[in-house]
Amino acid sequence: MNSATARPGTALAVLGVIGGSEGAADGFLAAMRLSCRGVRTVNLGTGVSLERAATVLARRPDAQALLLVAGAPGPALVRGLVDLPWLLATGGLNRPVIVGGSPGSGGTEGSRSGDPGATTAGRLLGLGVTQVLPDLADAAQLLLSRAGPPGAAPSGEKPDDRYSHTRG
């Protein structure tokens, strides 16, 4: 579902499946589930590179985050995000990056070594990913809390005085 601008109290995110087409169904389902939870998405589909996702996000100032579905197993997913630290440092990506997948996608599996950096999630967080979620639809709660209640002014803005009523 695409949209030109976000309405007050709603959230918009750019979503794509990083890596191959293995996560096509996961990406579609994540977009549908996010929509049911009040988050609109610009769905880039499968095989999305980090650079393409960052370019689309830059064109969407109303989007709150980049949501990436883990369409490939751990090592391939980490390789797909290897440029993330550079994009974050240079300002090429200036919004949260949330990675997730369904339990069957294999993109966010852990490690038994006990070393957090040895897990896929640990490596992703080390690259600068804001959050790793087993189910990307859970990002709705994070995004909607940033958007505020319906009718609220976006963070840092004051409500429009035309709608303020005082008795004198």
Side-chain angles (χ1 to χ4, degrees), residues 34-151:
L34 285 161
S35 176
C36 290
R37 294 179 183 189
V39 176
R40 295 173 305 117
T41 60
V42 175
N43 194 338
L44 303 178
T46 62
V48 174
S49 70
L50 182 59
E51 292 75 21
R52 178 172 174 243
T55 299
V56 172
L57 189 64
R59 292 182 194 153
R60 298 302 305 246
D62 54 339
Q64 292 177 285
L66 175 59
L67 306 179
L68 297 172
V69 177
L77 176 62
V78 171
R79 281 191 304 276
L81 296 177
V82 73
D83 290 335
L84 183 58
W86 179 80
L87 284 168
L88 292 169
T90 62
L93 212 158
N94 59 2
R95 279 166 269 173
V97 177
I98 301 171
V99 175
S102 72
S105 72
T108 57
E109 77 281 353
S111 169
R112 294 181 189 198
S113 72
D115 175 13
T119 66
T120 299
R123 288 190 290 273
L124 294 172
L125 293 170
L127 289 172
V129 168
T130 307
Q131 189 145 12
V132 178
L133 300 172
D135 183 349
L136 202 53
D138 291 340
Q141 184 176 358
L142 300 169
L143 298 174
L144 291 170
S145 67
R146 290 176 54 137

Side-chain angles (χ1 to χ4, degrees), residues 15-30 45-47 69-72 102 105:
L15 176 121
V17 178
I18 192 100
S21 62
E22 298 90 358
D26 289 336
F28 176 76
L29 291 172
T46 62
V69 177
S102 72
S105 72

